[in-house]
């Protein structure tokens, strides 16, 4: 996984609550058996005027000029500002894959759905939870000035505006470290293989029925 | 000993190690696998030169992407076909048990797990699907995971997790006839919101929950994710144990007795403390229907579409306005005046035998209204389908004008050919009414199977208790 330490970049605002993962990446794109290439279909239903299907050349499709990501001022955004309960719904990891593929590295919202939050940190995306008031203020600022940027620093757990105002955020130490180092979590867990085996051996004695398999 | 909730007991029994940062390595007993969220996990495992830790812990089935008609001809859509074939290939390569399309045990992953006894009380159950919360109805710690975690479970049989807070949802007072577990779930989400239980594990308790069948409990736990919860739970009781008896993957003989003795301990201690308690009065719950594009946008059938102008919170008000515009609804319209174009009875929320029975009881001897373009019944599994056919339910539905399909997720998420056209309105027993969920531009109203059946018959929403 690509490490994430500090991100400074253009902020794009998605001004609605409860943005679900179906909206982030519609289901027809979930038929892919790959992990990459979802960026052009990020927010597909909002971003294009026609109906998207896998395999289209998205550059040729009619874009919805109203949608934030189609506005020139938000091109090259790497930070997404969102409202509460962002990423709710389906557990599809295609949602963070699409956000990442598009170029987002940091998401800021008052709250995230849990599975989505998890999925982001496993893909080198930092979800930052700030208070409703702070998010409201950032929405006001980002819409007021073109080219608005933020600096997000993971080691110090802070978001700094270009005016120098600082908001700090919480993140648990495991996820923080994993993001900073771009860790392979599976490799890390396998260092505890002996403990997993010991646990399994005990469970086989105490609850043997869990290890029986029927003839299928 | 400190009093423990059911959640604590399940958690404690599965901790392999506690990490210094407060997370724990949790052992996973059962891993359910489907075609949409697993291909990248298998690929990742293969590329890293790794293998599954315990093959027998996995059970696979294709459900999201499968056709519900003309199965003998295979899958027409080449992209869908490749995904299902990829699952077949991965399972064959690693010798993982898979119920293939032609197998009568094939069905929606959250229907077949309990049906086979493959998910059991006291287990940790995970699947790359948010509605894995369903299995908590059996007194299992069950939650949805992403694809990276699917790979993590495949390779290590564990997950790194942090504990949730505990919420008790207590429903005292029996619900009336015509009111189902779906109405309880929607009423709860209407009350606490779609993020109301974020960070929590919900245990459902109280007399009205105890009175539910296993199917009803699954519906309730299934929808707990729509309230933001990581998982839903119902304590083990006689209903749970009777449900498990004789299922293919369930323990047999002397092992059965040992298992039952353990399962009996899977209840919250009477003096256990919850971080939050939400009380609902079952006697006050009436059939519910959603009017918007989030499950919290829900109203009792006897209410009217709400007016955004009356909503003080600006984010919420804008959300309501947008939802009503998308849904093509005006504020103040009685819910019973809304007319669906299509009716969908199915999904992991409501496609079990009891759901089909309750819908068939409404449909019996009646006909689907002329204005309904399509009324679909999609059983949750091949075995549910067969049982329904043994009971003659298929004939009741078909005589009324419903289509009787092969099992799968179908119009719940419209990854296959079953979908809404832009602007079409659907009475759906599924769990999500998000924009485009059932097809681009489609408008979804969530409700119970009996209410969906009633809407099919009358052509508009109606209180099934008054039919
Ligand atoms: S029926 Fe719907 S909610 Fe359930 S697993 Fe299938 S797609 Fe997901």
């Amino acid at each position: 996984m690509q490490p994430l330490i500090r991100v400074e970049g253009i902020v794009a605002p998605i001004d609605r609550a409860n943005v679900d993962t179906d909206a982030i990446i519609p289901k027809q794109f979930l038929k892919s058996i790959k992990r990459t290439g979802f960026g052009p279909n990020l927010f597909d239903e909002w971003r294009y005027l026609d109906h998207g299907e896998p395999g289209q050349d998205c550059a040729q499709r009619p874009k919805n000029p109203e949608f934030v990501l189609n506005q020139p001022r938000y091109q090259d955004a790497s930070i997404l500002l969102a409202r509460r309960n962002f990423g709710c719904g389906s557990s599809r990891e295609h949602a963070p894959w699409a956000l990442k593929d598009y170029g987002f590295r940091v998401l800021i919202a008052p709250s995230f759905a849990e599975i989505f939050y998890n999925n982001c940190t496993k893909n080198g995306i930092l979800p930052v939870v700030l208070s409703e008031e702070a998010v409201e203020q950032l929405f006001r600022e980002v819409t007021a000035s073109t080219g608005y940027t933020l600096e997000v620093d993971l080691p110090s757990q802070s978001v700094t505006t270009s005016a120098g105002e600082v908001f700090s955020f919480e993140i648990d130490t495991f996820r923080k470290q994993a993001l900073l180092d771009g860790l392979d979590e599976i490799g890390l867990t396998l260092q505890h293989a002996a403990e997993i085996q010991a646990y399994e051996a005990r469970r086989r004695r105490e609850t043997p029925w869990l290890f029986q398999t029927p003839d299928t | 000993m400190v009093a423990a909730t059911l959640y604590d007991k399940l958690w404690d029994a599965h901790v392999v190690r506690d990490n210094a940062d407060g997370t724990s390595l949790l052992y996973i007993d059962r891993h359910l696998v489907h075609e949409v969220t697993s291909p990248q996990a298998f690929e990742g495992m293969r590329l890293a030169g790794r293998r599954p830790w315990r093959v027998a812990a996995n059970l696979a089935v294709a459900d999201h992407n499968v056709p519900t008609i003309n199965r003998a001809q295979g899958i027409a859509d080449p992209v869908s076909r490749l995904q299902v074939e990829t699952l077949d290939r991965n399972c064959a390569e690693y010798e993982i048990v898979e119920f293939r399309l032609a197998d009568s045990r094939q069905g929606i992953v959250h229907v077949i797990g309990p049906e086979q006894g493959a998910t059991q009380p006291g287990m940790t159950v995970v699947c790359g699907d948010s509605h894995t919360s369903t299995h908590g109805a059996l007194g299992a710690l069950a939650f949805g995971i992403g694809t990276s975690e699917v790979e993590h479970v495949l390779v290590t049989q564990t997950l790194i997790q942090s504990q949730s807070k505990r919420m008790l949802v207590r429903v005292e007072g029996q619900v009336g006839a015509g009111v189902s577990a779906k109405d309880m779930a929607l009423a709860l989400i209407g009350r606490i919101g779609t993020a109301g239980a974020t960070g929590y594990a919900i245990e459902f308790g109280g007399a009205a929950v105890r009175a539910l069948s296993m199917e009803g409990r699954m519906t309730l736990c299934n929808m707990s994710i729509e309230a933001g919860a990581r998982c839903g739970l119902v304590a083990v009781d006689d209903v749970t144990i009777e449900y498990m008896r004789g299922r293919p993957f369930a323990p047999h003989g002397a092992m059965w007795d040992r298992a039952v003795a353990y399962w009996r301990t899977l209840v919250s201690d009477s003096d256990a403390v919850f971080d939050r308690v939400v009380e609902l009065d079952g006697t006050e719950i009436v059939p519910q229907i959603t009017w918007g594009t989030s499950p919290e946008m829900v109203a009792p059938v006897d209410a009217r579409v709400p007016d955004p102008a009356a909503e003080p919170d600006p984010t919420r008000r804008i959300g309501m306005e947008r939802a009503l515009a998308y849904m093509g609804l005006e504020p103040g319209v009685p819910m019973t005046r809304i007319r669906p174009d299509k009716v969908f009875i199915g999904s992991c929320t409501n496609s079990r035998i009891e759901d089909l029975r309750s819908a068939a009881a409404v449909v019996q001897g009646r006909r689907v209204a002329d204005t309904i373009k399509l009324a679909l019944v999609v059983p949750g599994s091949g075995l549910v389908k067969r049982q329904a056919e043994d009971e003659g339910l298929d004939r009741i539905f078909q005589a009324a004008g419903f289509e009787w399909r092969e099992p799968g997720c179908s119009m719940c998420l419209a990854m296959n050919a079953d979908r809404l056209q832009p602007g079409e309105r659907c009475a759906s027993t599924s769990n999500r009414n998000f924009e485009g969920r059932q097809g681009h531009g489609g408008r979804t109203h969530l409700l119970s199977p009996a209410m969906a059946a009633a809407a099919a018959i009358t052509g508009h929403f109606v209180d099934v208790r008054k039919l």
Side-chain angles (χ1 to χ4, degrees):
Chain A
M1 192 176 81
Q2 183 186 1
L4 184 142
I5 300 163
R6 184 176 298 104
V7 175
E8 191 181 351
I10 301 261
V11 181
I14 299 272
D15 196 2
R16 31 170 116 189
N18 297 317
V19 170
D20 58 81
T21 53
D22 288 62
I24 297 173
I25 182 84
K27 67 221 143 209
Q28 61 271 33
F29 304 107
L30 271 51
K31 296 179 184 183
S32 166
I33 56 171
K34 298 207 283 290
R35 228 178 248 264
T36 50
F38 295 101
N41 300 110
L42 175 71
F43 296 116
D44 196 277
E45 299 229 340
W46 296 341
R47 203 159 138 202
Y48 302 98
L49 294 169
D50 63 345
H51 174 67
E53 283 295 333
Q56 284 167 318
D57 177 4
C58 289
Q60 306 300 322
R61 295 173 57 196
K63 292 201 170 59
N64 173 6
E66 309 270 289
F67 185 60
V68 176
L69 299 187
N70 290 331
Q71 295 169 19
R73 59 188 288 197
Y74 299 119
Q75 292 316 301
D76 303 318
S78 57
I79 300 174
L80 187 73
L81 183 65
R83 295 290 185 182
R84 65 177 87 122
N85 203 26
F86 189 82
C88 62
S90 146
S91 64
R92 61 189 67 161
E93 200 158 311
H94 313 66
W97 292 338
L99 287 161
K100 177 91 179 287
D101 204 50
Y102 180 89
F104 287 115
R105 296 301 309 276
V106 175
L107 315 174
I108 302 176
S111 62
F112 294 92
E114 234 175 307
I115 302 177
F116 175 78
Y117 184 95
N118 242 321
N119 285 341
C120 283
T121 61
K122 290 183 195 309
N123 286 282
I125 297 178
L126 170 65
V128 171
V129 178
L130 295 182
S131 68
E132 292 266 2
E133 297 73 49
V135 169
E136 183 56 46
Q137 179 187 333
L138 294 180
F139 263 101
R140 272 201 309 273
E141 292 180 6
V142 76
T143 40
S145 68
T146 303
Y148 185 85
T149 60
L150 285 171
E151 186 188 324
V152 180
D153 185 66
L154 182 54
S156 65
Q157 298 181 207
S158 63
V159 176
T160 310
T161 68
S162 46
E165 197 174 349
V166 179
F167 301 93
S168 54
F169 61 89
E170 298 293 323
I171 179 167
D172 71 53
T173 38
F174 180 80
R175 289 201 180 90
K176 180 175 175 177
Q177 210 52 50
L179 277 166
L180 287 173
D181 300 345
L183 280 184
D184 164 24
E185 267 189 33
I186 296 177
L188 227 58
T189 295
L190 286 174
Q191 292 175 2
H192 304 298
E195 282 169 87
I196 302 171
Q197 276 154 355
Y199 172 90
E200 242 174 11
R202 179 163 60 81
R203 292 275 285 178
R204 265 181 213 278
R205 284 195 307 276
E206 291 171 359
T207 54
W209 62 88
L210 291 176
F211 295 85
Q212 289 181 328
T213 32
D215 302 328
T216 40
Chain B
M1 229 181 70
V2 196
T5 64
L6 172 55
Y7 177 80
D8 296 302
K9 293 182 185 185
L10 293 169
W11 177 276
D12 291 345
H14 289 89
V15 174
V16 172
R17 74 186 309 266
D18 287 318
N19 298 319
D21 60 14
T23 60
S24 300
L25 193 63
L26 221 55
Y27 189 78
I28 303 303
D29 295 310
R30 176 67 67 203
H31 182 210
L32 302 167
V33 180
H34 68 82
E35 79 277 25
V36 177
T37 54
S38 68
Q40 296 87 352
F42 279 105
E43 184 200 51
M45 176 169 73
R46 199 175 287 120
L47 288 176
R50 293 168 174 152
R51 293 200 49 85
W53 179 278
R54 184 159 75 86
V55 169
N58 301 283
L59 177 63
V61 71
D63 55 359
H64 282 64
N65 220 336
V66 302
T68 58
I69 42 170
N70 301 332
R71 283 251 169 114
Q73 291 158 28
I75 304 174
D77 174 357
V79 195
S80 297
R81 187 170 62 235
L82 176 63
Q83 199 169 50
V84 174
E85 285 171 356
T86 303
L87 179 69
D88 293 350
R89 228 182 359 250
N90 283 327
C91 289
E93 177 177 346
Y94 295 106
E95 299 182 332
I96 290 170
V97 175
E98 182 198 4
F99 298 155
R100 294 212 177 178
L101 218 48
D103 193 314
S104 63
R105 298 168 298 179
Q106 182 269 339
I108 304 172
V109 64
H110 308 309
V111 174
I112 67 156
E115 182 175 83
Q116 289 294 317
T119 55
Q120 301 172 10
M123 275 183 165
T124 40
V125 179
V126 299
C127 174
D129 189 284
S130 57
H131 289 100
T132 310
S133 60
T134 312
H135 309 261
L138 292 145
L141 182 58
F143 50 90
I145 55 178
T147 299
S148 295
E149 289 172 310
V150 168
E151 185 180 337
H152 197 281
V153 175
L154 272 172
V155 176
T156 72
Q157 213 52 50
T158 62
L159 280 175
I160 300 160
Q161 292 288 302
S162 28
Q163 279 202 31
S164 304
K165 290 179 281 183
R166 297 91 172 134
M167 178 187 289
L168 176 64
V169 173
R170 194 188 289 132
V171 194
E172 297 293 356
Q174 297 300 340
V175 298
V179 181
S180 71
K182 182 64 161 287
D183 302 304
M184 285 163 74
L186 288 171
L188 171 69
I189 295 163
R191 165 99 160 263
I192 68 173
T194 47
T198 300
Y200 286 91
I202 299 180
E203 179 175 341
F204 295 96
V209 174
R210 298 254 73 83
L212 289 175
S213 67
M214 217 55 228
E215 285 87 348
R217 294 175 186 188
M218 286 190 234
T219 302
L220 204 50
C221 289
N222 174 279
M223 294 290 288
S224 52
I225 180 79
E226 306 312 330
R230 195 69 204 278
C231 62
L233 286 167
V234 177
V236 171
D237 62 7
D238 291 341
V239 175
T240 324
I241 289 167
E242 280 318 305
Y243 179 87
M244 288 305 298
R245 197 185 292 279
R247 297 196 177 263
F249 285 64
H252 295 277
M255 211 57 101
W256 167 261
D257 296 329
R258 263 182 91 175
V260 168
Y262 173 62
W263 294 345
R264 291 273 181 208
T265 67
L266 299 174
V267 297
S268 288
D269 295 333
S270 55
D271 48 349
V273 181
F274 289 84
D275 298 293
R276 188 175 167 198
V277 178
V278 175
E279 314 242 8
L280 293 182
D281 182 350
T283 60
E284 283 178 3
I285 300 175
V286 301
Q288 307 277 312
I289 307 172
T290 64
W291 50 264
T293 52
S294 162
E296 70 187 18
M297 295 175 169
V298 64
V301 59
D302 52 10
R304 290 164 184 270
V305 175
D307 189 351
E311 172 59 54
D313 177 312
T315 306
R316 213 178 273 275
R317 183 169 60 241
I318 294 166
M320 288 172 76
E321 284 164 358
R322 196 166 354 220
L324 290 183
Y326 181 86
M327 294 296 290
L329 292 173
E330 295 296 326
V333 172
M335 295 299 289
T336 49
R337 208 171 294 158
I338 302 172
R339 308 184 71 90
D341 303 298
K342 290 183 174 169
V343 176
F344 171 62
I345 297 176
S347 87
C348 59
T349 314
N350 284 127
S351 65
R352 298 180 182 80
I353 189 68
E354 185 185 278
D355 301 314
L356 303 189
R357 285 184 194 136
S358 80
V362 173
V363 167
Q364 177 133 44
R366 297 182 165 120
R367 283 216 40 94
V368 170
D370 292 341
T371 50
I372 302 287
K373 292 187 218 164
L374 177 69
L376 274 188
V377 185
V378 184
S381 72
L383 296 180
V384 168
K385 179 168 187 258
R386 188 194 294 163
Q387 169 150 14
E389 287 169 356
D390 288 345
E391 295 179 17
L393 306 186
D394 58 325
R395 292 190 294 282
I396 294 175
F397 284 120
Q398 284 172 321
F402 278 87
E403 291 191 21
W404 180 248
R405 296 288 186 89
E406 301 290 340
C409 295
S410 178
M411 212 195 275
C412 173
L413 94 163
M415 263 184 94
N416 69 356
D418 310 335
R419 61 180 75 168
L420 301 180
Q421 297 306 314
E424 278 184 345
R425 190 180 294 290
C426 184
S428 177
T429 67
S430 54
N431 42 53
R432 290 191 174 135
N433 50 353
F434 301 155
E435 285 184 20
R437 171 79 179 182
Q438 294 192 291
H440 178 68
R443 297 161 169 167
T444 303
H445 295 269
L446 304 175
L447 71 189
S448 75
M451 286 286 288
I457 300 302
T458 57
H460 55 84
F461 292 127
V462 61
D463 188 339
V464 65
R465 298 171 304 175
K466 295 183 182 150
L467 199 67

